[in-house]
Amino acid sequence: MALIENLEHEDWEDFLRSCFLYTLEVLKEDRFRSVGSSADDLRSWLAAGGVARVRHQLGQQMHRRGLSEDRQVAIHQCINELAEEHRGALLDLTATGVIPGSTQD
């Protein structure tokens, strides 16, 4: 199930947090290993443009799927919190070239 589909459920925040952590681990340990579609979405977006790309892709998908404005704001806020909480891991991945550097992140 794609990440956006999981964010439509009531327990979306726990799912997003665990998926984000798992994806960071995968990117650090073996970024080419087989993962589920939700982690694959995050992995590809992070590798293509970092957290800014995650925000952009999720924003587009949330709009297309008609998520409520409140849910969209909450998801963006959660992504921002995750980026801040895991800044060190994200910076390490940027330093090793796994995630591209960006002034937006």
Side-chain angles (χ1 to χ4, degrees):
M1 187 179 296
L3 179 60
I4 191 64
E5 293 172 306
N6 284 296
L7 299 182
E8 294 174 334
H9 300 291
E10 289 306 313
D11 62 345
W12 68 267
E13 189 170 357
D14 290 336
F15 180 84
L16 180 56
R17 287 183 174 282
S18 65
C19 188
F20 193 87
L21 272 131
Y22 175 69
T23 302
L24 290 179
E25 176 189 319
V26 167
L27 286 169
K28 180 182 176 189
E29 301 298 328
D30 180 6
R31 66 183 181 178
F32 301 110
R33 92 169 96 160
S34 181
V35 296
S37 60
S38 293
D40 191 46
D41 287 346
L42 274 176
R43 174 175 58 186
S44 66
W45 298 337
L46 285 167
V51 175
R53 180 71 173 180
V54 172
R55 288 183 193 117
H56 175 76
Q57 289 297 119
L58 280 177
Q60 287 186 327
Q61 290 185 6
M62 290 186 295
H63 178 73
R64 279 196 301 260
R65 296 203 50 118
L67 268 65
S68 72
E69 188 67 30
D70 288 343
R71 176 69 58 96
Q72 290 184 44
V73 168
I75 289 171
H76 279 297
Q77 184 177 7
C78 186
I79 291 293
N80 292 339
E81 290 170 7
L82 287 166
E84 185 61 33
E85 290 169 18
H86 302 287
R87 180 181 281 291
L90 291 165
L91 288 173
D92 288 346
L93 291 168
T94 301
T96 58
V98 175
I99 295 175
S102 170
T103 58
Q104 293 179 338
D105 286 350

